[in-house]
Each structure stands twice: as structure tokens, then as C-alpha cells.
Amino acid sequence: SVVALRPGLLVSDELRPAERLGLALARPICPLLPASLRPVRVEDVAACMIDAARAEEPPKIIVSAAMHGRANRSSVLQSGVSS
């Protein structure tokens, strides 16, 4: 099955100059932005990928708003178990 992930601006330890600028400009207004426009941590995107790969019937598309905080809720990433 194919799942499309559509994150917005990705937040990681390694940012290119334009991403760093975009994040610096977005950070003060993030609480005011809809979840679909907020930056997403790469760990949250990874957790969505793992959850979708293991799901019986994964969604076709996972949008940015559904990814926020996903790494904190993913039992796979918290336990450190990989397969």
C-alpha cells in the first residue's frame, strides 16, 4: 500500500539557510497558525511513517496537522524497538 506524507516545514538539527530563516520567522507566530501550517519535527514524520507501515489499513495521505507530537505517542519510537 502507498501512503503519501505531506509535512510542512521540517524541523531538525540540520537546517539549510532558507529553512533556518523560515523557521526563525515562523516561530513567534506558530501558536497563531493552523496546525497544517506549523513546522513539523522530523521525528514526528518518522513516527507517522512507521505507524503507517505497520497499520492494517493505513490512510492514503497523512497531512502535516496529523503529524504533530506523533513521536511522543508512538510506542515503537519510545521503546526503541526496531524491526
Side-chain angles (χ1 to χ4, degrees):
S1 154
V2 175
V3 178
L5 284 90
R6 298 181 53 203
L9 178 64
L10 293 173
V11 178
S12 73
D13 294 335
E14 299 177 21
L15 294 174
R16 295 175 286 205
E19 292 168 332
R20 194 173 294 118
L21 176 63
L23 187 58
L25 294 173
R27 211 171 248 145
I29 61 168
C30 277
L32 305 174
L33 294 173
S36 61
L37 298 177
R38 292 182 195 150
V40 180
R41 296 179 323 140
V42 294
E43 295 86 0
D44 292 332
V45 177
C48 285
M49 289 178 176
I50 292 169
D51 292 345
R54 293 180 173 205
E56 191 79 21
E57 291 186 37
K60 300 269 187 242
I61 298 173
I62 302 174
V63 295
S64 188
M67 296 180 198
H68 294 285
R70 194 66 171 264
N72 296 334
R73 298 187 304 264
S74 177
S75 60
V76 173
L77 292 181
Q78 288 179 357
S79 66
V81 175
S82 62
S83 56

